[in-house]
Amino acid sequence: MTPPAEPQQPDPGVNAMTDRFRATAEKILDRLLADNPEWALQLGDTRSAGQLTDRSPGAWQDRADVLADGLRALDDIDDTLLPAADRVDLETLRTRLGADLWRTTELRPHTWDPLATLPSDALYAVLHRGPLTPAERAAALGAYCSALPEALRQARDLLADGPGMPRVHVETAVGRARGAAAMLETDARRLLAAHGDRHPGLADLCDSAHREFTDHAAWLEDRLEESAADPRLGERDYAAQLWYTLDSELDPQTLLTRAESDLIATEEEIAEVAAAYEGRPRRAGQVREVLDRLAAEAACPPDAVRPVCEQALRHLAARTADLDLVTLPDREVRVVAMPEVRRGVAVAYCDPPGPLAPGDEPTLVAVAPPPDTWPRARRESFHREYHTFALRNLMVHEAVPGHALQLAHAGRHDGPTRVRSVLRSGSMIEGWAVYAEEVVARAGWTGDGGAEDLALRLAQLKTRLRMILNAIVDVRFHAGDLDEAGAMALLTGRGHQEEGEAVGKWRRVQLTSAQLATYYVGYQEVSGIARDLAAARPQAGPRARHDAMLAHGSLSPRHLRALLAVD
């Protein structure tokens, strides 16, 4: 009889190295959070609530030294002795440190992008987000208002000595600065009315902060005419930005080639669905005619946008459960109007509770109306773009089973370090949301294959065209010579976008870089994982597979693939 095997003893070297890595990772994260208190508060860490990042000349060198020291500390870790999950955390942290160091020392957006140094999002977090009691919120507001004059002075010094600002960045920063001033007049005043008596002098601090934002906006406006810097990154910097943003070795030219090929395939697919929706054979110009008809028939006036989104959210929660697609987390999701201070880049966003925040804050899905400064015709085109079926698809992306659901799953991840709680991959987040659009559209809004299902599929395929064009325009603008006329022709032509949507995208591609590529690349990677996981686990249903994909935080898809052991 064979004697029972001796229980395997853990390798003390492995345990020691694992402990060393985890302690090192936590120390690095503490330094990163302390260096950027605005980011810390958005994550739910309230220890420095109301404080603002030091952007003095010496602070930038200190920041670079901290990042370089962190990379050296990680290089001293023998990752061959780490469990797989810790190796993923190490590589995730290494990528973040490398990206921050490159942006701090090479790209240096703080010297040319006024949005990079404008603490308006921090004011929104102080007033509205995070696990703060009203008394703590009032105290944080006082700290914020006290720190603001020096923070804005540092920002102006950096920009005045920099290489020059792009006009579109200055215009957007002016709007956000004025939005922050307005928030101090409204939201802060409501807080003061309820709790200001416990904080003598806070009203005066808010008045002073209001003047600071107003003066900063005026300073920026005075420089509008001279702000003629090109917002393009250029081929070299864009390639680096793409690498760090995607956490992928995909180079710009390969990305462009793949996207242009997929654009053709998606044009074929939407043509087939348009013919089915119309009930006639395919013909030239049919897609545009069908999309125009759908926009006219399902037009959504401004005052109906929020109710339509709320109704869609309720339906999607029920539909996701009926289809048994993925586990629905027990977290409230609310549809809200996008605060003015956060407008100017995207039409909508999902704002979940910070991953470090205790409690049960709701997830907010914010939708922005078209700017009041737009002419009437352009505002009307915006509402044709975001008709009822497009808004349904938008809610799939931003809420359920898209961002709100995925981020709730990610928030439940409890690893041995905070790495995957605070460092999130845009490719995973956007890729899952686009993949969710496709899953829901293929299943149908009702599932009967009728007009509503086909209309949602058309909206989703049009959004897929937009997603692919996001990547194409991003590469061709930042690493090429795409101009406004060429971008508008591409977006309104092959993308079938309304003028208002195309104008907004042209603005967004100038204000951001590489982020627009996360939708397409993330979708390709996430949908590839879902396909391969289904082949590897044929006995598992969609919910089991999707839950497995969402159980590891918002980590880079390449790391998710490794943890799920799918080739």
Side-chain angles (χ1 to χ4, degrees):
M1 182 179 206
T2 305
E6 292 291 329
Q8 188 172 7
Q9 298 298 316
D11 184 337
V14 170
N15 286 343
M17 189 59 66
T18 300
D19 291 343
R20 180 180 170 188
F21 162 68
R22 292 173 181 175
T24 299
E26 289 299 321
K27 182 179 179 180
I28 290 171
L29 289 174
D30 278 336
R31 292 293 300 270
L32 294 179
L33 292 167
D35 185 61
N36 192 335
E38 301 99 319
W39 176 54
L41 181 58
Q42 289 167 357
L43 291 171
D45 183 340
T46 63
R47 290 175 294 177
S48 300
Q51 296 181 26
L52 295 176
T53 299
D54 182 4
R55 293 190 171 92
S56 62
W60 289 105
Q61 184 57 55
D62 291 344
R63 190 166 295 120
D65 291 343
V66 166
L67 294 168
D69 287 345
L71 285 168
R72 284 190 288 270
L74 293 181
D75 286 342
D76 288 340
I77 303 293
D78 185 350
D79 61 358
T80 65
L81 297 178
L82 297 179
D86 287 285
R87 286 199 302 272
V88 164
D89 286 356
L90 186 149
E91 287 305 315
T92 298
L93 186 53
R94 191 200 307 276
T95 298
R96 174 57 181 261
L97 293 177
D100 284 357
L101 183 60
W102 174 75
R103 290 173 184 137
T104 298
T105 60
E106 298 289 334
L107 190 62
R108 294 172 55 80
H110 51 278
T111 65
W112 53 265
D113 180 3
L115 293 166
T117 51
L118 184 69
S120 53
D121 274 353
L123 176 61
Y124 177 79
V126 163
L127 289 171
H128 295 293
R129 300 299 279 164
L132 296 171
T133 66
E136 290 171 336
R137 210 171 288 284
L141 178 60
Y144 176 93
C145 292
S146 297
L148 185 66
E150 178 61 14
L152 293 180
R153 185 195 64 77
Q154 290 177 355
R156 289 191 291 270
D157 287 347
L158 287 166
L159 297 169
D161 294 337
M165 298 179 283
R167 184 183 180 94
V168 64
H169 291 69
V170 178
E171 291 173 340
T172 306
V174 167
R176 288 195 172 185
R178 296 203 182 283
M183 190 178 292
L184 285 163
E185 285 186 324
T186 54
D187 303 47
R189 289 295 173 189
R190 284 193 287 271
L191 182 64
L192 283 170
H195 304 282
D197 56 338
R198 303 178 191 176
H199 299 270
L202 182 54
D204 290 339
L205 284 172
C206 287
D207 288 341
S208 175
H210 180 277
R211 288 192 298 273
E212 289 291 338
F213 270 123
T214 301
D215 290 347
H216 190 69
W219 183 87
L220 289 169
E221 279 186 319
D222 287 344
R223 282 148 185 80
L224 266 175
E225 293 307 315
E226 65 188 53
S227 298
D230 193 341
R232 302 170 198 271
L233 289 195
E235 202 169 336
R236 175 180 172 275
D237 283 344
Y238 179 76
Q241 181 82 307
L242 192 71
W243 192 93
Y244 284 122
T245 300
L246 301 179
D247 191 12
S248 166
E249 296 183 358
L250 189 66
D251 64 88
Q253 189 55 51
T254 301
L255 169 58
L256 184 61
T257 300
R258 290 181 183 176
E260 289 176 336
S261 175
D262 282 344
L263 181 62
I264 295 171
T266 303
E267 287 173 326
E268 284 294 305
E269 193 168 356
I270 197 171
E272 292 292 338
V273 178
Y277 182 81
E278 193 177 49
R280 297 178 181 178
R282 287 178 55 173
R283 56 184 172 78
Q286 185 180 42
V287 171
R288 184 77 222 195
E289 290 179 18
V290 168
L291 291 175
D292 285 346
R293 173 184 154 197
L294 182 61
E297 293 175 348
C300 187
D303 59 355
V305 170
R306 186 169 170 180
V308 166
C309 289
E310 290 171 335
Q311 184 182 33
L313 177 58
R314 291 190 294 269
H315 177 88
L316 285 165
R319 185 78 173 127
T320 299
D322 288 345
L323 293 169
D324 204 28
L325 289 179
V326 59
T327 297
L328 285 161
D330 184 19
R331 176 183 287 172
E332 181 187 4
V333 182
R334 294 181 192 165
V335 180
V336 299
M338 188 182 297
E340 187 176 352
V341 73
R342 308 188 84 175
R343 295 178 190 174
V345 177
V347 170
Y349 64 75
C350 177
D351 184 14
L356 302 182
D360 297 314
E361 269 193 289
T363 293
L364 304 181
V365 173
V367 181
D372 293 336
T373 55
W374 279 10
R376 179 179 176 181
R378 184 172 293 172
R379 291 199 304 273
E380 290 174 348
S381 83
F382 174 93
H383 290 292
R384 287 195 300 272
E385 182 78 20
Y386 290 96
H387 54 72
T388 296
F389 295 101
L391 289 173
R392 288 177 177 179
N393 189 66
L394 181 68
M395 292 305 293
V396 174
H397 184 102
E398 299 292 344
V400 176
H403 287 329
L405 183 145
Q406 183 266 317
L407 291 167
H409 274 263
R412 300 193 312 192
H413 172 74
D414 186 19
T417 73
R418 293 171 294 171
V419 169
R420 269 183 263 168
S421 294
V422 302
L423 304 183
R424 297 180 283 193
S425 162
S427 292
M428 176 63 194
I429 293 170
E430 297 298 351
W432 169 266
V434 176
Y435 168 73
E437 290 179 44
E438 182 173 74
V439 170
V440 171
R442 288 190 180 280
W445 190 254
T446 63
D448 64 5
E452 278 196 296
D453 286 356
L454 288 171
L456 180 67
R457 182 69 170 146
L458 282 170
Q460 180 262 327
L461 286 170
K462 182 180 174 182
T463 303
R464 190 201 287 177
L465 288 174
R466 180 194 302 173
M467 167 198 71
I468 298 169
L469 287 168
N470 281 350
I472 293 172
V473 170
D474 200 52
V475 175
R476 289 185 56 192
F477 175 76
H478 284 289
D481 59 359
L482 183 69
D483 60 11
E484 182 175 6
M488 292 293 290
L490 190 60
L491 296 171
T492 59
R494 297 184 71 178
H496 304 289
Q497 294 176 21
E498 292 283 343
E499 187 219 8
E501 175 66 21
V503 167
K505 190 55 55 67
W506 171 246
R507 186 179 188 87
R508 185 171 173 181
V509 77
Q510 295 174 84
L511 290 169
T512 66
S513 54
Q515 192 275 333
L516 282 172
T518 60
Y519 298 84
Y520 172 69
V521 175
Y523 163 73
Q524 293 291 323
E525 293 177 331
V526 170
S527 61
I529 291 171
R531 180 192 61 240
D532 294 344
L533 192 62
R537 304 180 186 180
Q539 75 285 358
R543 179 159 64 90
R545 295 195 302 269
H546 290 148
D547 284 357
M549 291 173 64
L550 300 183
H552 302 278
S554 300
L555 77 170
S556 169
R558 73 181 178 98
H559 293 315
L560 176 62
R561 181 174 281 278
L563 289 177
L564 292 174
V566 289
D567 298 326

